[in-house]
Each structure stands twice: as structure tokens, then as C-alpha cells.
């Protein structure tokens, strides 16, 4: 596994773990393809709360989330300037819980305008998330952005072979989306600074699991540099 940049998961690995990774030759770089789309996963108000008022937002990731969304906004702007599509997902639930499914067996339906209930402020895209006219925004009901949505069809129609996945939470919807992207043989790139989670260990281990086998977890600078090479959304031959 590449060791040129310190990663959040490094502190959790033992020498025995590193030997397993080396023997199995895990963590190679897949690299970028020719055409990319940026997926912005659940960059909503309920995910990042409000500075000085996080206690009122039951699912807020706080300052960490707000900093990561600021980084994600840089990736979005770079993609928009390069002519690459950006696709924003919003997770929202019926206020009566009719569409919560099995998730309702693990967590209470929170009756709060600061959560992800349809029609509330919490379900809106967060400040700084600004889709262009050519971008797409749709609601999803499950962790993966692919499950029960038109995402795959949009990507096929646009000839996309690479998805740059940003947003939150790393261990939930980001990871689920990355795993499904790999299942569809898409290259998945995760800008490390542009994803976030509520719990540091969940964030670190999710990044590790993605980088080990299903995605390239990269410094955001590398992603921005590659986006800067695109012309009309396509990489040079």
C-alpha cells in the first residue's frame, strides 16, 4: 500500500497487518480514466449543522464536516470549470417514516427540522453547494447513491469511467457508493480532505478499506491537478 503520504489509518495498523497487505499486494493505484463525474454525497445542512449551534443539529458532523464540505466545494468548482458533471445526492425521509425501511430498526425517526426530513431546512443542500445548470441533483433513500436512483444511467449516457466521490459520511454513504461504483467497474477516487464522518475511527477505517481494494484515496491537490488537465470534461489522450 502506498506510503508516500501519512494516512489517518496508519496509526491503527500493526506490522503484521502491513505484512498481510504487502503479501497480498493490496492497495495498488488504479488511476484516473478519461472522463470523470464528481459525486457529492449528502452535502446537506443536517450533516454539518451550524457553527456555534451544533447541539441543535442531531446528526451534525460539526466543524470537521464544514471544513470537508469547503474542500468538496473546491473539487466541485474545479470540475465545473473543466466541464465535468457534478451530481449531488440528498438523503431525505418522509416525516412519518413511511420510507425509512430497515434503517428504522437501528435508529429513531427524529422529529426535527434540523434532521433529514423531507421539506425541512435540514434536508437542503448546505451552504456553498451550488449546482450548475448542467449538474444533477436527486434524492436517494438508501446509503449508496446508486441504489434505486438513475445515477448509473446518467454516468453511462455521459461516457463516465471515473467517479470522484466527496461528501459524507465516510463510513456510511460514501463507502457504500464507492463499493457500488467498483461493482460497476467504475474507477473511484476519494479526495481525502473532501469526505467526513462523525467519529474519527470510523472515518479512518472506512478510508483504509476503500483504499485497500476499491478506490484510490488521494490528497485533494492531486485530484484538483488532474481536473485541471481536462478539456470539455475529457482527459488528454
Amino acid at each position: 500500500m502506498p506510503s508516500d503520504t501519512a494516512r489517518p489509518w496508519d496509526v491503527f495498523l500493526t506490522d503484521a497487518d502491513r505484512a498481510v497487505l504487502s503479501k497480498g499486494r493490496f492497495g495498488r493505484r488504479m488511476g484516473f480514466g478519461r472522463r470523470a463525474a464528481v459525486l457529492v454525497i449528502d452535502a446537506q445542512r443536517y450533516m454539518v449543522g451550524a457553527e456555534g449551534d451544533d447541539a441543535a443539529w442531531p446528526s451534525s458532523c460539526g466543524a470537521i464536516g464544514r471544513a470537508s464540505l469547503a474542500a468538496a466545494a473546491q473539487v466541485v468548482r474545479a470540475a465545473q470549470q473543466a466541464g465535468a458533471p457534478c451530481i449531488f445526492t440528498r438523503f431525505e425521509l418522509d416525516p412519518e417514516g413511511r420510507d425509512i425501511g430497515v434503517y428504522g430498526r437501528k435508529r429513531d425517526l427524529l422529529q426535527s427540522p434540523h434532521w433529514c426530513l423531507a421539506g425541512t431546512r435540514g434536508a437542503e443542500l448546505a451552504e456553498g453547494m451550488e449546482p450548475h445548470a448542467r449538474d444533477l441533483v436527486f434524492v436517494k433513500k438508501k446509503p449508496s447513491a446508486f441504489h434505486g436512483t438513475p445515477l448509473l444511467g446518467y454516468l453511462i449516457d455521459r461516457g463516465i469511467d471515473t467517479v470522484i466521490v466527496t461528501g459524507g459520511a465516510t463510513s456510511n454513504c460514501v463507502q457504500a457508493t464507492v463499493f457500488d461504483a467498483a461493482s460497476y467497474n467504475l474507477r473511484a477516487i476519494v479526495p481525502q480532505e473532501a469526505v467526513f464522518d462523525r467519529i474519527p475511527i470510523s472515518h479512518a477505517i472506512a478510508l483504509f478499506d476503500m483504499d485497500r481494494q476499491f478506490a484510490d484515496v488521494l490528497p485533494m491537490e492531486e485530484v484538483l491537478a488532474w481536473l485541471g488537465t481536462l478539456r470539455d470534461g475529457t482527459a488528454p489522450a
Side-chain angles (χ1 to χ4, degrees), residues 17 34 39 51 61 63-64 69 75 95 102 151 164 167-168 176 179 184 190 204 207 211 235:
D17 295 330
R34 292 294 311 283
L39 306 185
E51 187 170 0
C61 297
I64 289 174
L69 278 198
V75 176
V102 73
L151 176 57
I164 298 170
F179 287 177
Y184 290 119
V190 181
L207 287 176
D211 192 74

Side-chain angles (χ1 to χ4, degrees), residues 79-156:
Q80 290 169 335
Q81 292 170 5
C86 297
I87 300 173
F88 298 76
T89 71
R90 292 172 48 242
F91 179 71
E92 65 176 35
L93 296 171
D94 177 84
E96 302 301 321
R98 285 183 286 263
D99 54 5
I100 195 171
V102 73
Y103 186 44
R105 297 182 181 274
K106 292 296 295 183
R107 188 173 183 187
D108 290 343
L109 182 76
L110 304 181
Q111 292 299 329
S112 168
H114 293 160
W115 199 45
C116 55
L117 301 180
T120 66
R121 181 169 173 78
E124 297 173 356
L125 289 176
E127 185 177 356
M129 293 293 110
E130 299 174 357
H132 276 188
R134 65 173 174 268
D135 295 335
L136 298 167
V137 182
F138 59 76
V139 169
K140 65 183 182 66
K141 297 292 183 178
K142 298 297 180 182
S144 172
F146 289 92
H147 186 88
T149 76
L151 176 57
L152 183 61
Y154 287 143
L155 298 178
I156 291 172

Side-chain angles (χ1 to χ4, degrees), residues 165-231:
V165 187
T166 68
T170 316
S171 61
N172 296 336
C173 298
V174 167
Q175 185 168 232
T177 297
V178 164
F179 287 177
D180 275 357
S183 296
Y184 290 119
N185 289 319
L186 293 162
R187 301 177 191 226
I189 308 294
V190 181
Q192 182 175 308
E193 299 92 331
V195 294
F196 60 93
D197 209 308
R198 298 170 185 86
I199 301 173
I201 190 173
S202 297
H203 175 73
I205 299 307
L207 287 176
F208 167 72
D209 283 339
M210 289 187 284
D211 192 74
R212 176 172 56 88
Q213 197 152 314
F214 298 106
D216 289 354
V217 177
L218 300 177
M220 187 176 68
E221 287 184 3
E222 290 187 28
V223 178
L224 294 176
W226 183 78
L227 287 170
T229 69
L230 302 185
R231 296 294 178 269

